[in-house]
Amino acid sequence: MCGIVGYIGDNKAAPILINGIRRLEYRGYDSSGISIIEGNKIFSEKSVGFISELEKKIDGKFREGTLGIVHTRWATHGAPTIDNAHPHIDCTGKISVVHNGIIENYNYLKAKLKKEGHSFKSETDSEVIAHLIESYFEGTLEDAVRLALKDVEGAYGVAIISLDDPGKLIAARRGSPLIVGIGEREHYVTSDVAAILEYTKEVVYLDDNEIVVLTRDNMKTTDINNVQITKRVDEVQWNLDKIEKCGYEHFMLKEIYEQPQSLRDAMLGRFEKDSNHVHLGGLIDKENDFRNTRRIIIVACGTSWNAGLIGEYMIEEHLGIPVEVEYASEFRYRNPIIEADTMVIAISQSGETADTLAAIHEARKKGAIILSICNVVGSSIAREADCGIFLHAGPEIGVASTKAFTSQIAVLSLLTLFLAKIRGKENVLNNELANKLKEIPVQVQTILENEDKIIEIAELFKDSNNCLYLGRGYNYPVALEGALKLKEISYIHAEGYPAAEMKHGPIALIDKNMPVVVVATTDKVYSKILSSIEEVRARGGKVIAIASEQNNEIAKLVDHVLYIPETIDALVPILSVIPLQLLAYHMAVMRGCDVDKPRNLAKSVTVE
Ligand code: G6P
């Protein structure tokens, strides 16, 4: 949600900043802006809409400046207008600030600053930071920033430059990610490594309440009380091809096609040689806790929540440990019951979702042990958890999550096998879960090879206004995920339901204009789902079934069938969701939607 890039060094800042912020456009794209210090002037430019609009505006300007900041916005306080776009500038016109996050006490601060004579140009919470810094400025920018941030309540990732203390790029974080990139006689700051990967892989992840002062040659990190901190330098493991489209029309399609590989990467090095025993490096030292866990609570949002539901079914089926799945946003405010032997699993692709982060804070307060399942290494949730498992899916840039979802299920399967090992559940280790999991990447590949049939179906239903998705058992969360994909990127109203619940409401909506996607693989509840299909057909609804490839009868009962390979029930979701991802993708593209940047959505929701 929103993106920040800052640069200080020997090179011209403008192209670096624009290049970087373009890579973060997937995080927010309603407006953008840039400030660059050139000679003894600070130049700023802002625009509404995509970054390409900003690029047009600055074409040929800012030729020489080697210090600057840029921002892409996803509006929270105030509409996407030029005035509300960042950077925000103080009254003197010398201090320029970009901000991610939310300043919770901005109304109070704004009123106070106004009384002191400051004049505001925007409706944003962020602008107060620029004026606060101005009010504290006595010659040293970092001192003023420190004092200003002490007044601020809420979350921030900020980058600041000032004409009165040039040669410095200052950044600070609390609750909103910020990363420093180290180059040759240059430094970068960004809210997401993707922005700077082209220039450096050496990074430092800032922690909450840290302030960093960057000059061309130096980096100094302190806490908010000015106590110096030594930071570790990490190396980013991704390559540039991971953040480029590589010939695909959209990132989403590329990421759908990456799934055979991302699933292999989720398993890589995690099975002991020729065995079903799983080794998870991030859980070393925690085996005792896991042996004694009597209850698991999974907290997550969006697609990650849907994956969590599959985790619930899987862990309960294989290990008999009670699992609850909670929306992180609900969990954090409802005084949840956590006992000494409760484990909380936070699932988050980005590792930055504000509600999930707050949920783990709540769980920690109550003494739970916290395990994270994240994709982004170095993310807040991954770092704050007691232990964790990374997805290793590579960066996911399409706003609609695809490969992260299937990797989350794969990792939940690995976790199930790991827990089975340490809890002595030999029957689970010897059953089919491990072997079938190893077959999954090849099976996903075969589904991708049948894209043409999915395109035909997309063509038939692309003009629908509504769509219902049904599934039972392990395929119920898949129905939710299929519906979520469709509504996110095509703006067709879509609902996912447990198939039998259709009778309790959605059936009233069914007529000949209602496509109903039924995930009807040959599993424990197959005969039950056939009844739901009959009920839809009896009311004229059009049924698109996702079925197992050995199923010879279903084609006679439904309008269209998309076949997937056979596997065990617990792993079916990894396969059954693939046609639904492609269906949503193609319907959205046919409707002319921008699938990588769907309206109003953000890839990583770092505000409540
Ligand atoms: C946003 C994204 C979704 C994602 C959800 C949770 O809504 O658009 O794709 O599933 O956040 O994000 P997380 O990074 O925590 O998995």
Side-chain angles (χ1 to χ4, degrees):
M1 203 167 244
C2 304
I4 289 178
V5 189
Y7 176 78
I8 184 163
D10 283 339
N11 293 308
K12 289 172 187 163
I16 293 172
L17 294 176
I18 291 294
N19 228 354
I21 206 70
R22 241 197 271 119
R23 294 199 188 275
L24 301 196
E25 199 171 17
Y26 73 104
R27 291 185 159 260
Y29 31 81
D30 57 40
S31 51
S32 56
I34 189 167
S35 282
I36 287 190
I37 291 186
E38 209 172 278
N40 57 357
K41 287 205 169 114
I42 187 161
F43 293 100
S44 297
E45 196 67 82
K46 301 181 189 189
S47 75
V48 171
F50 292 151
I51 308 285
S52 50
E53 299 304 314
L54 182 67
E55 271 184 275
K56 276 186 222 153
K57 275 193 162 175
I58 68 164
D59 191 29
K61 295 187 197 162
F62 310 137
R63 283 191 190 285
E64 304 306 324
T66 58
L67 166 60
I69 51 179
V70 68
H71 186 266
T72 181
R73 178 168 186 251
W74 187 91
T76 53
H77 293 70
T81 60
I82 296 269
D83 281 342
N84 289 337
H86 301 218
H88 293 290
I89 316 280
D90 71 320
C91 301
T92 67
K94 292 178 173 174
I95 298 168
S96 179
V97 176
V98 289
H99 166 234
N100 287 354
I102 285 192
I103 306 302
E104 285 164 2
N105 59 342
Y106 89 100
N107 268 327
Y108 163 79
L109 293 172
K110 192 168 177 174
K112 184 169 161 264
L113 287 158
K114 271 185 167 174
K115 244 192 227 157
E116 289 167 13
H118 293 265
S119 74
F120 283 76
K121 294 184 197 72
S122 78
E123 302 155 283
T124 66
D125 54 332
S126 309
E127 193 183 348
V128 296
I129 303 174
H131 294 281
L132 269 179
I133 296 172
E134 176 193 354
S135 72
Y136 284 118
F137 191 81
E138 284 181 352
T140 312
L141 186 58
E142 59 266 39
D143 290 344
V145 169
R146 189 170 298 112
L147 292 170
L149 293 180
K150 281 189 171 183
D151 286 355
V152 158
E153 286 167 19
Y156 55 77
V158 280
I160 304 136
I161 54 176
S162 167
L163 209 51
D164 276 340
D165 196 1
K168 280 180 190 168
L169 167 61
I170 297 195
R173 83 159 260 174
R174 186 200 292 158
S176 192
L178 266 193
I179 300 143
V180 174
I182 304 169
E184 193 74 18
R185 286 168 64 85
E186 60 185 5
H187 284 103
Y188 303 80
V189 65
T190 179
S191 51
D192 180 333
V193 282
I196 58 170
L197 205 52
E198 197 173 332
Y199 308 106
T200 181
K201 286 187 165 188
E202 278 189 29
V203 295
V204 170
Y205 295 100
L206 290 188
D207 284 303
D208 278 351
N209 298 311
E210 289 181 351
I211 300 176
V212 65
V213 182
L214 301 168
T215 61
R216 192 183 56 189
D217 298 305
N218 270 310
M219 163 179 174
K220 183 180 168 202
T221 313
T222 59
D223 69 9
I224 195 125
N225 296 317
N226 207 14
V227 177
Q228 199 159 338
I229 297 168
T230 310
K231 300 292 291 178
R232 192 183 76 198
V233 179
D234 282 300
E235 194 180 325
V236 182
Q237 301 300 328
W238 302 339
N239 289 324
L240 208 53
D241 63 333
K242 288 277 184 202
I243 53 168
E244 293 191 331
K245 285 192 204 149
C246 301
Y248 285 92
E249 204 183 329
H250 296 99
F251 280 110
M252 182 179 175
L253 189 62
K254 175 179 178 241
E255 286 155 11
I256 291 173
Y257 270 86
E258 278 174 350
Q259 288 175 107
Q261 191 55 44
S262 52
L263 286 160
R264 268 184 214 108
D265 291 342
M267 288 180 248
L268 197 70
R270 286 173 165 170
F271 279 107
E272 289 167 18
K273 201 166 179 290
D274 302 324
S275 129
N276 288 345
H277 281 208
V278 165
H279 167 80
L280 295 169
L283 306 192
I284 287 174
D285 300 338
K286 295 287 173 219
E287 296 197 0
N288 250 341
D289 296 298
F290 294 132
R291 213 168 276 127
N292 299 326
T293 297
R294 290 163 66 90
R295 183 166 156 252
I296 293 175
I297 301 174
I298 297 178
V299 290
C301 303
T303 288
S304 298
W305 186 91
N306 292 341
L309 217 51
I310 295 164
E312 173 186 6
Y313 289 16
M314 200 181 310
I315 293 169
E316 291 196 344
E317 179 192 341
H318 292 89
L319 302 167
I321 306 171
V323 182
E324 291 148 61
V325 187
E326 295 243 18
Y327 287 112
S329 53
E330 289 297 311
F331 177 88
R332 61 184 290 193
Y333 287 121
R334 64 165 196 81
N335 200 11
I337 296 165
I338 291 177
E339 290 133 328
D341 43 18
T342 302
M343 177 177 19
V344 169
I345 303 179
I347 306 181
S348 173
Q349 186 285 128
S350 62
E352 300 294 349
T353 302
D355 283 323
T356 312
L357 194 57
I360 68 172
H361 292 159
E362 179 65 23
R364 156 125 331 111
K365 249 197 279 168
K366 298 196 157 178
I369 162 155
I370 296 153
L371 184 160
S372 67
I373 296 180
C374 293
N375 191 31
V376 179
V377 176
S379 58
S380 305
I381 293 170
R383 286 188 301 150
E384 290 200 23
D386 299 299
C387 54
I389 315 170
F390 284 113
L391 304 182
H392 297 312
E396 191 180 66
I397 293 181
V399 167
S401 184
T402 52
K403 63 177 178 173
F405 178 70
T406 47
S407 290
Q408 284 162 346
I409 306 169
V411 162
L412 286 161
S413 315
L414 293 171
L415 177 64
T416 302
L417 289 161
F418 174 80
L419 292 175
K421 179 180 79 174
I422 61 169
R423 293 163 82 101
K425 291 251 177 196
E426 285 301 317
N427 60 324
V428 176
L429 297 175
N430 295 331
N431 77 11
E432 291 188 294
L433 184 58
N435 289 334
K436 292 291 180 188
L437 184 61
K438 292 175 195 169
E439 288 172 10
I440 284 281
V442 172
Q443 294 181 311
V444 169
Q445 188 61 48
T446 64
I447 303 172
L448 294 172
E449 282 157 16
N450 284 320
E451 193 185 358
D452 287 355
K453 174 81 182 153
I454 300 169
I455 296 175
E456 275 169 34
I457 297 177
E459 186 66 51
L460 294 174
F461 294 103
K462 66 176 195 300
D463 296 322
S464 307
N465 293 322
N466 299 289
C467 196
L468 189 61
Y469 286 70
L470 303 176
R472 288 191 82 152
Y474 281 102
N475 279 324
Y476 158 51
V478 175
L480 295 179
E481 179 60 10
L484 180 60
K485 286 302 81 123
L486 190 69
K487 75 179 101 169
E488 279 180 317
I489 57 171
S490 74
Y491 318 137
I492 295 172
H493 171 238
E495 296 293 340
Y497 258 85
E501 279 292 305
M502 179 182 65
K503 296 191 285 296
H504 302 291
I507 199 163
L509 303 172
I510 292 175
D511 61 15
K512 64 179 178 18
N513 298 317
M514 175 68 106
V516 182
V517 178
V518 185
V519 193
T521 53
T522 319
D523 55 18
K524 261 206 314 250
V525 283
Y526 176 65
S527 62
K528 307 283 174 198
I529 208 122
L530 287 182
S531 321
S532 305
I533 290 176
E534 296 294 353
E535 285 159 10
V536 174
R537 299 275 293 150
R539 284 153 188 90
K542 298 277 175 294
V543 177
I544 304 154
I546 310 298
S548 310
E549 61 194 358
Q550 314 289 331
N551 188 339
N552 302 320
E553 62 166 5
I554 198 160
K556 295 180 215 125
L557 307 174
V558 302
D559 299 276
H560 306 277
V561 192
L562 293 167
Y563 291 101
I564 59 168
E566 308 248 347
T567 185
I568 57 167
D569 292 5
L571 297 176
V572 161
I574 304 184
L575 303 181
S576 54
V577 78
I578 307 282
L580 303 190
Q581 294 170 345
L582 282 168
L583 189 64
Y585 171 80
H586 285 294
M587 285 169 78
V589 170
M590 287 168 190
R591 288 164 72 92
C593 301
D594 187 344
V595 295
D596 282 339
K597 299 188 202 94
R599 70 182 179 210
N600 303 339
L601 295 178
K603 181 68 187 159
S604 161
V605 181
T606 52
V607 295
E608 215 182 312

